[in-house]
């Protein structure tokens, strides 16, 4: 149990659907992250929130929209995705700069 | 630019063998952190160790040990007497950007370790 939960664990959606991924951390951390892990690619950092403010957006297409309503919750809103967006989406949290990040179990997303 | 290289894509060993996973990093900063994570088939990345750039002492935790050498920019990970439960993908990561209260991790491509009975 790492203290970071993600729902749903699996998601299949069509290209015209709208869905949201949810992440919750129970560790009292100040920063939260979204990563994308595709087959045969290194983990890609998508977004970073520090104290509920978005501080990083690594050239992610606008069809991915993050939301951080408070320090414990992080969402990734998805709309009009492409098949190449199929991947494992991982959420993580950390306390301070330089600290290790703790990861959730991920959401396996398939776009049909 | 920062970079982490894990040259070994896949390693296959028989149980009880020792195995070393290599990690070479590049950074221009003098202050940075290095990490190792384990990703079992379930998908979750499990934190194993964090080491800052000023601490070159090797570390041992049970069957796991880490060898940090700044002279060769390497942070290698050894599993002694491997077990089937060690089968996973192992990632090395670097962070040299952490001034904003958060951490930007640069991950290597990972090494898939298969331990056979």
């Amino acid at each position: 149990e790492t203290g970071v939960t993600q729902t749903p664990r699996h998601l299949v959606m069509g290209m015209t659907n709208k869905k949201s991924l949810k992440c919750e951390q129970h560790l009292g951390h100040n920063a939260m992250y979204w990563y994308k892990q595709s087959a045969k690619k290194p983990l890609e950092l998508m977004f970073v929130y520090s104290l509920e403010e978005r501080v990083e957006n690594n050239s992610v297409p606008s069809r991915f929209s993050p939301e951080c309503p408070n320090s414990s919750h992080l969402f990734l809103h998805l709309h009009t995705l492409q098949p190449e967006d199929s991947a494992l989406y991982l959420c993580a949290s950390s306390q301070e700069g330089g600290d290790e990040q703790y990861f959730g179990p991920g959401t396996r997303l398939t776009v049909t | 630019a920062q970079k982490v290289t894990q040259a070994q894509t896949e390693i296959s060993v028989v149980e009880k063998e020792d195995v070393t996973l290599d990690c070479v990093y590049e950074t221009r900063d003098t202050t940075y952190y290095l990490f190792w994570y384990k990703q079992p088939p379930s998908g979750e990345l499990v934190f194993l160790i964090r080491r800052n750039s000023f601490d070159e002492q090797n570390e041992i935790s049970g069957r796991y040990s880490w060898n940090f050498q700044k002279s060769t920019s390497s942070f290698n990970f050894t599993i002694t007497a491997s077990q089937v439960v060690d089968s996973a993908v192992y990632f090395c990561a670097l962070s040299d950007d952490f001034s904003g209260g958060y951490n930007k991790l640069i991950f290597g491509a990972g090494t898939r370790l298969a331990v056979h009975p």
Side-chain angles (χ1 to χ4, degrees):
Chain A
E1 177 60 53
T2 64
V4 180
T5 58
Q6 289 186 244
T7 54
R9 294 293 308 275
H10 300 272
L11 178 62
V12 179
M13 60 186 288
M15 290 190 284
T16 58
N17 291 158
K18 287 185 181 181
K19 297 286 184 183
S20 295
L21 310 184
K22 179 183 176 183
C23 174
E24 184 172 0
Q25 59 100 356
H26 313 273
L27 301 168
H29 288 167
N30 294 322
M32 295 187 76
Y33 311 76
W34 278 117
Y35 287 88
K36 176 183 179 183
Q37 187 177 29
S38 307
K40 301 182 181 180
K41 277 190 175 181
L43 276 136
E44 303 172 67
L45 179 63
M46 301 175 71
F47 301 103
V48 181
Y49 277 82
S50 177
L51 298 173
E52 301 156 44
E53 180 181 340
R54 190 193 308 181
V55 293
E56 289 287 335
N57 177 351
N58 281 357
S59 304
V60 179
S62 59
R63 57 186 184 269
F64 294 92
S65 175
E67 178 189 4
C68 186
N70 54 61
S71 60
S72 299
H73 293 86
L74 185 65
F75 294 89
L76 188 62
H77 303 300
L78 317 171
H79 63 98
T80 59
L81 295 190
Q82 305 297 312
E84 60 264 29
D85 296 323
S86 298
L88 180 66
Y89 288 85
L90 291 158
C91 173
S93 69
S94 67
Q95 177 60 24
E96 300 283 349
D99 284 353
E100 60 274 18
Q101 293 177 19
Y102 289 92
F103 285 79
T107 296
R108 174 74 60 188
L109 173 68
T110 303
V111 181
T112 59
Chain B
Q2 318 97 314
K3 186 178 178 182
V4 176
T5 301
Q6 295 180 255
Q8 304 150 306
T9 305
E10 293 189 31
I11 299 176
S12 181
V13 299
V14 176
E15 223 174 3
K16 298 184 183 175
E17 282 186 39
D18 297 348
V19 58
T20 295
L21 310 181
D22 297 333
C23 174
V24 174
Y25 62 92
E26 295 176 28
T27 177
R28 292 196 181 119
D29 289 315
T30 56
T31 304
Y32 52 88
Y33 291 89
L34 296 165
F35 304 81
W36 274 96
Y37 284 86
K38 173 183 180 180
Q39 187 176 38
S42 59
E44 179 176 337
L45 268 77
V46 178
F47 166 72
L48 296 177
I49 189 171
R50 178 186 71 154
R51 177 52 54 85
N52 76 55
S53 53
F54 298 107
D55 182 4
E56 283 194 76
Q57 280 194 352
N58 290 333
E59 181 155 342
I60 298 174
S61 176
R63 296 184 296 106
Y64 295 170
S65 62
W66 290 269
N67 183 354
F68 176 29
Q69 294 201 346
K70 286 177 77 169
S71 60
T72 55
S73 296
S74 65
F75 187 42
N76 296 337
F77 173 31
T78 297
I79 302 175
T80 303
S82 59
Q83 300 176 1
V84 173
V85 293
D86 296 326
S87 298
V89 181
Y90 291 86
F91 292 94
C92 180
L94 162 73
S95 174
D96 59 6
D97 183 354
F98 45 82
S99 59
Y102 60 95
N103 232 345
K104 289 182 70 174
L105 290 182
I106 306 299
F107 282 89
T111 296
R112 182 176 299 277
L113 174 64
V115 181
H116 302 284

